[in-house]
Amino acid sequence: MDFTIKYRKLTINIISLLFIVLFVYAAFSKLLDFETFKLQLAQSPLLSAYAGLIAWLVPSLEIIIAILLLSERFRVLAFYAFFTLMVMFTTYIFIILNFSDFVPCSCGGVLEKLSWNQHLIFNVVFMMLAGVAVFITAQWNNKKIWLLLATLAIIGIGIVVLLFAFSEKKMHRNNAFQRRYLPHPIEKMSEFTLDYDTFYLAGYSDSIVYLGNYRAPLYITTNNIVTNEQKVIQVELNNKTLPFRKVRIEVKPPQFTVADGTVPVLFQGNITEKVARQIPFDSVYFTQFVVIDSNSTGIATVDSKFKKKTIGVSKILSGKDRSILTTATLRTDVPEPFADDGVLAWNENLNYFLYTYYYKNNFEVIDKNLQPIYTGSTIDTIKNPLLDVAYSKQNDVYTLGGKSIVVNRLSATSANYLFINSDRLGRFEDEGPLRSASIIDVYDIIDKSYVFSFYLYHQPEGKLYDFQVYNNILIALVEDKLFIYKLKPEYFISGSNATHTGQYQD
């Protein structure tokens, strides 16, 4: 660059001042709210294992670089250090946006107001400014500068990628159990491409898949797996004044149910009429609901006194405009927050509730009268939840961090079976198939046994968002694609109260 000495020095001073302000502000924002910053790092899928160290290291480096920028003697070194750190920050954001299951936050102050894409652009601009500053101040020829910047960029990217890789392996690898895989127990029937990746499975009946949409909560998308026809249905509530936060729909034609556990009400309607009316329901907040029949709904809630997870059944009294709620506390002795979190399902063949824990190798089988049948075990070996729980004194809130190990991600039930999706790799398992498939473990509820596992194949690099099993049909939602599979009858027994007769032989 052809700069006069005067303008060269002015440019360097302006860039240095920008960098100093940015790093001093960022560092002190983190240190002044250090507890929150550390909490946010603990939630990160890349950095959770190193949250304690990085929480001190990042603001310390930012302050050191800012101090070096004040000295003309060390300014070139500071520009290289600034460039490398910004490369690492940018790589971190890129991985979070493209490869992470969730998007945490680890920035404070004004930067926290930026979206992640805006933050990515912001970092790239300052990274380029650092490169410009190096070219203006360095005494080397341009080739050497380019080579050094490229080397530092590779090092910065490599460090963050290694952190991500080691974190993933640490979270998912467990050589203490071994799966029994069947090669092709399911057969793909059809595939749909959806307009969005914000759908969830709301129901299935008569060859029609019903999808709800988190971003359009009162719209139902139907997909006919025979004709491939897609339709969108808009439903209405007869009471729109309630402060809903996360509305969810469940469809059991001809009825559909609408609920939001943060508001203790239920709405039901006929799918052809498209209007849901508020039905009698005790004023109980809940985290999940499952429809049993037109008069009964199962819920998962938390006992306000003992803070324990509770299963309940709300029944509309015949001939009366009111309901009765019966509850039962799950059998769990772990008092730690989040330890008994899980997913509730209703098996209409057996008339059982199944509650599968996220963070330990257990599931509960409970009958329709809320009497416990038994506590089942999965093939994983984590009996006691390995949780990364942080407490914020300022907000009096517990937060679950990224180091928590998820044993059971998703679950579904049909006939005699419980189907569980897990990301955890067992003995001798290769990570390769998981690039285009998800693992499903199958358990026999009646026999209280593990049956086998299989790969649910889908598009490459796709993440399984949701899946359900309806008799001999398995429906999977993988990002913006809907897959329909058929369970092969030689491996699965359909119907109610069937007995397991050796589907799998070692």
Side-chain angles (χ1 to χ4, degrees):
M1 295 183 184
D2 187 17
F3 283 94
T4 64
I5 295 177
K6 177 182 176 181
Y7 288 111
R8 183 191 299 263
K9 189 173 183 179
L10 178 62
T11 303
I12 292 299
N13 288 337
I14 291 174
I15 293 176
S16 299
L17 182 61
L18 281 174
F19 291 175
I20 292 169
V21 170
L22 174 65
F23 268 12
V24 168
Y25 172 76
F28 280 94
S29 294
K30 296 177 179 73
L31 294 174
L32 289 173
D33 198 4
F34 184 75
E35 185 179 346
T36 300
F37 175 58
K38 187 176 179 181
L39 184 68
Q40 290 166 345
L41 285 177
Q43 295 177 298
S44 169
L46 276 71
L47 308 176
S48 57
Y50 318 98
L53 173 64
I54 292 175
W56 287 108
L57 184 61
V58 170
S60 298
L61 286 174
E62 288 172 339
I63 292 172
I64 291 171
I65 292 172
I67 293 173
L68 291 176
L69 285 167
L70 293 171
S71 170
E72 292 188 8
R73 181 180 177 183
F74 298 106
R75 192 164 286 169
V76 176
L77 176 63
F79 285 146
Y80 280 121
F82 184 96
F83 174 83
T84 306
L85 204 55
M86 293 307 292
V87 166
M88 295 175 69
F89 290 162
T90 305
T91 305
Y92 171 78
I93 294 174
F94 181 83
I95 291 176
I96 287 292
L97 288 174
N98 292 278
F99 302 102
S100 175
D101 294 342
F102 62 97
V103 179
C105 179
S106 59
C107 299
V110 174
L111 298 184
E112 198 171 36
K113 306 301 180 182
L114 297 178
S115 70
W116 281 83
N117 285 315
Q118 290 170 339
H119 205 154
L120 183 67
I121 296 170
F122 179 90
N123 283 3
V124 169
V125 169
F126 272 84
M127 188 173 66
M128 292 173 64
L129 275 176
V132 170
V134 167
F135 275 102
I136 296 174
T137 55
Q139 302 299 317
W140 303 341
N141 61 53
N142 287 351
K143 285 187 178 180
K144 288 185 177 180
I145 294 174
W146 278 115
L147 179 61
L148 183 53
L149 288 175
T151 302
L152 292 174
I154 292 170
I155 291 172
I157 293 170
I159 290 172
V160 178
V161 170
L162 285 174
L163 285 174
F164 177 66
F166 285 134
S167 176
E168 288 291 293
K169 287 185 177 180
K170 185 176 181 180
M171 295 296 290
H172 298 311
R173 173 64 65 181
N174 182 355
N175 287 318
F177 68 88
Q178 185 172 344
R179 288 186 172 93
R180 298 177 297 188
Y181 281 100
L182 287 189
H184 302 291
I186 63 173
E187 179 183 355
K188 182 180 173 183
M189 296 173 59
S190 57
E191 173 185 337
F192 295 84
T193 298
L194 306 172
D195 294 330
Y196 309 100
D197 63 354
T198 54
F199 288 103
Y200 61 88
L201 295 175
Y204 173 80
S205 179
D206 299 327
S207 301
I208 296 177
V209 180
Y210 297 88
L211 299 176
N213 191 330
Y214 288 116
R215 290 187 178 177
L218 295 182
Y219 285 83
I220 300 171
T221 300
T222 66
N223 297 265
N224 191 309
I225 66 175
V226 176
T227 65
N228 292 331
E229 183 182 11
Q230 293 181 322
K231 293 182 179 179
V232 178
I233 302 171
Q234 182 178 4
V235 300
E236 296 182 6
L237 305 180
N238 70 337
N239 184 353
K240 302 177 182 178
T241 62
L242 299 171
F244 296 116
R245 296 181 186 175
K246 193 174 183 180
V247 171
R248 190 175 176 92
I249 297 175
E250 184 169 333
V251 182
K252 282 192 174 182
Q255 178 183 286
F256 70 98
T257 303
V258 183
D260 179 344
T262 62
V263 180
V265 296
L266 286 175
F267 293 83
Q268 285 183 350
N270 189 292
I271 195 69
T272 57
E273 296 175 357
K274 304 177 185 177
V275 177
R277 295 171 176 83
Q278 190 170 334
I279 63 173
F281 183 74
D282 284 3
S283 296
V284 176
Y285 297 94
F286 52 93
T287 55
Q288 300 175 60
F289 77 96
V290 291
V291 175
I292 300 172
D293 54 43
S294 59
N295 293 316
S296 303
T297 305
I299 63 170
T301 183
V302 177
D303 184 284
S304 59
K305 183 177 180 180
F306 299 103
K307 305 299 182 184
K308 288 192 174 183
K309 194 72 68 177
T310 300
I311 305 300
V313 175
S314 176
K315 294 183 179 180
I316 301 175
L317 298 179
S318 178
K320 298 181 180 180
D321 190 24
R322 65 187 185 90
S323 64
I324 183 171
L325 179 68
T326 307
T327 61
T329 302
L330 291 176
R331 296 180 294 187
T332 177
D333 299 323
V334 183
E336 190 174 7
F338 308 106
D340 58 358
D341 282 4
V343 58
L344 178 67
W346 171 252
N347 186 307
E348 61 184 19
N349 302 104
L350 302 174
N351 285 329
Y352 284 168
F353 289 105
L354 286 104
Y355 187 86
T356 306
Y357 295 100
Y358 289 135
Y359 305 108
K360 61 180 178 179
N361 65 344
N362 291 125
F363 58 88
E364 304 288 351
V365 182
I366 304 165
D367 70 14
K368 62 181 179 180
N369 298 315
L370 298 180
Q371 296 301 310
I373 305 300
Y374 70 91
T375 299
S377 296
T378 66
I379 57 175
D380 206 297
T381 56
I382 295 182
K383 296 180 179 180
N384 299 311
L386 301 176
L387 300 176
D388 171 26
V389 178
Y391 175 68
S392 173
K393 294 180 181 178
Q394 182 179 353
N395 301 315
D396 190 27
V397 172
Y398 289 95
T399 305
L400 194 65
K403 287 188 289 185
S404 302
I405 294 181
V406 178
V407 178
N408 307 306
R409 282 191 66 243
L410 305 168
S411 70
T413 182
S414 182
N416 284 12
Y417 299 106
L418 173 63
F419 302 81
I420 295 178
N421 165 242
S422 174
D423 284 342
R424 304 253 299 154
L425 295 176
R427 185 179 299 169
F428 308 126
E429 291 183 27
D430 183 19
E431 294 180 357
L434 295 187
R435 296 188 183 98
S436 57
S438 301
I439 299 171
I440 305 294
D441 300 319
V442 183
Y443 300 87
D444 190 306
I445 302 167
I446 300 299
D447 283 357
K448 305 179 184 180
S449 63
Y450 164 67
V451 186
F452 55 77
S453 300
F454 62 89
Y455 285 115
L456 183 73
Y457 287 97
H458 44 71
Q459 77 270 37
E461 309 301 334
K463 185 72 174 180
L464 180 64
Y465 283 177
D466 195 4
F467 82 102
Q468 293 295 330
V469 181
Y470 303 92
N471 294 323
N472 66 334
I473 299 295
L474 188 153
I475 303 171
L477 191 60
V478 185
E479 297 184 358
D480 63 343
K481 289 188 179 293
L482 182 68
F483 293 89
I484 314 298
Y485 305 88
K486 182 178 180 179
L487 306 184
K488 293 184 178 179
E490 58 265 37
Y491 301 115
F492 297 93
I493 298 173
S494 62
S496 175
N497 297 316
T499 56
H500 179 64
T501 55
Q503 269 80 299
Y504 183 86
Q505 298 292 330
D506 272 327

